[in-house]
Amino acid sequence: MLIAEGKDRRPSQTAEDWVTYADHVVVVTAVSERETPPALIEIERGEGLTGREVTLRVDEVVWSRGGAPRAAPAEWKRASTGWRFTGGSTSNRTKMAMRDQPRVETGHRYILALDWEEAKCSPGDEPEPAQWHTLGEGAVVPYDNNTIGEGEMEGRHLQATQPRAETGPDMRLEDQLAGLSADDLAKALNAAKPAQTVQPGSAAVADCG
């Protein structure tokens, strides 16, 4: 397994982060996936990345932010890590995962903190369509058997641990609630106060016409 590093889009470690930056928190099941091909330049170079598009069925909306720009999706096709290939062949590949994050594999359930990002049309850059995103590393949580922290992580199966006694505003939410359910998560989110910052959905929308 190849473990890669990444940078969070938004803060995602605490209950305060989730209620500040997320539009919805949902329980999903990964129902199918397809490979996404590497770029032509990677194939010509003989090394690069083969990704995956995972279809997620939304089973439950755990929490929603007041004023969210749109309702939670019923289904979401999520770009996920796949494989790194080398040696001039896409079949010579190594499974990849992001550090401390699930790969999001079919048959498993997860809790996700989602926000909606409007289309980006900056001059000189490739346009990006409006789409759902997860906040960051702390916003994709294993949830097999309706248990926070149980399930797939970095391509491996984890058993949930009991909630930790030492809790605090900066403790990672997943660790704080490990072994509990989405109902307990909803209580934690409803009790949390958002930080004083601009909400994600309130920014000006670029004209992509």
Side-chain angles (χ1 to χ4, degrees):
M1 178 74 72
L2 177 63
I3 303 298
E5 301 284 349
K7 183 178 181 180
D8 283 357
R9 293 178 55 256
R10 303 190 189 279
S12 63
Q13 300 299 310
T14 66
E16 180 182 271
D17 291 338
W18 285 31
V19 300
T20 300
Y21 297 102
D23 292 324
H24 305 284
V25 174
V26 296
V27 175
V28 303
T29 300
V31 294
S32 65
E33 67 173 62
R34 70 174 184 89
E35 292 187 18
T36 53
L40 179 60
I41 190 173
E42 294 178 304
I43 295 175
E44 293 173 343
R45 189 173 60 226
E47 61 180 13
L49 303 178
T50 299
R52 294 179 302 131
E53 182 185 76
V54 183
T55 298
L56 302 173
R57 183 189 67 224
V58 176
D59 300 325
E60 177 185 355
V61 178
V62 177
W63 175 91
S64 294
R65 175 171 65 85
R70 60 181 55 211
E75 183 180 274
W76 179 37
K77 296 184 184 296
R78 179 184 190 268
S80 296
T81 52
W83 303 265
R84 181 188 179 204
F85 71 91
T86 58
S89 173
T90 56
S91 62
N92 181 28
R93 63 191 193 179
T94 303
K95 197 174 183 180
M96 284 185 61
M98 301 299 292
R99 186 173 303 280
D100 296 326
Q101 298 184 47
R103 291 185 82 241
V104 185
E105 297 182 338
T106 56
H108 290 282
R109 302 184 84 208
Y110 304 89
I111 291 174
L112 310 179
L114 301 176
D115 72 311
W116 178 256
E117 187 166 79
E118 297 292 351
K120 294 182 179 179
C121 306
S122 302
D125 292 336
E126 188 73 20
E128 295 183 27
Q131 58 191 305
W132 292 104
H133 287 285
T134 51
L135 300 183
E137 175 265 317
V140 184
V141 177
Y143 193 58
D144 284 357
N145 301 314
N146 297 324
T147 303
I148 293 172
E150 182 168 320
E152 182 268 320
M153 172 68 78
E154 294 183 356
R156 300 174 291 110
H157 186 272
L158 295 183
Q159 295 290 333
T161 58
Q162 293 301 310
R164 294 174 57 175
E166 65 278 17
T167 61
D170 297 323
M171 184 179 179
R172 195 169 78 156
L173 186 60
E174 178 180 351
D175 295 331
Q176 182 178 337
L177 298 180
L180 299 181
S181 71
D183 289 341
D184 298 295
L185 172 61
K187 292 176 184 177
L189 295 175
N190 288 327
K193 301 298 182 183
Q196 296 300 310
T197 186
V198 176
Q199 290 290 354
S202 62
V205 178
D207 181 6
C208 299

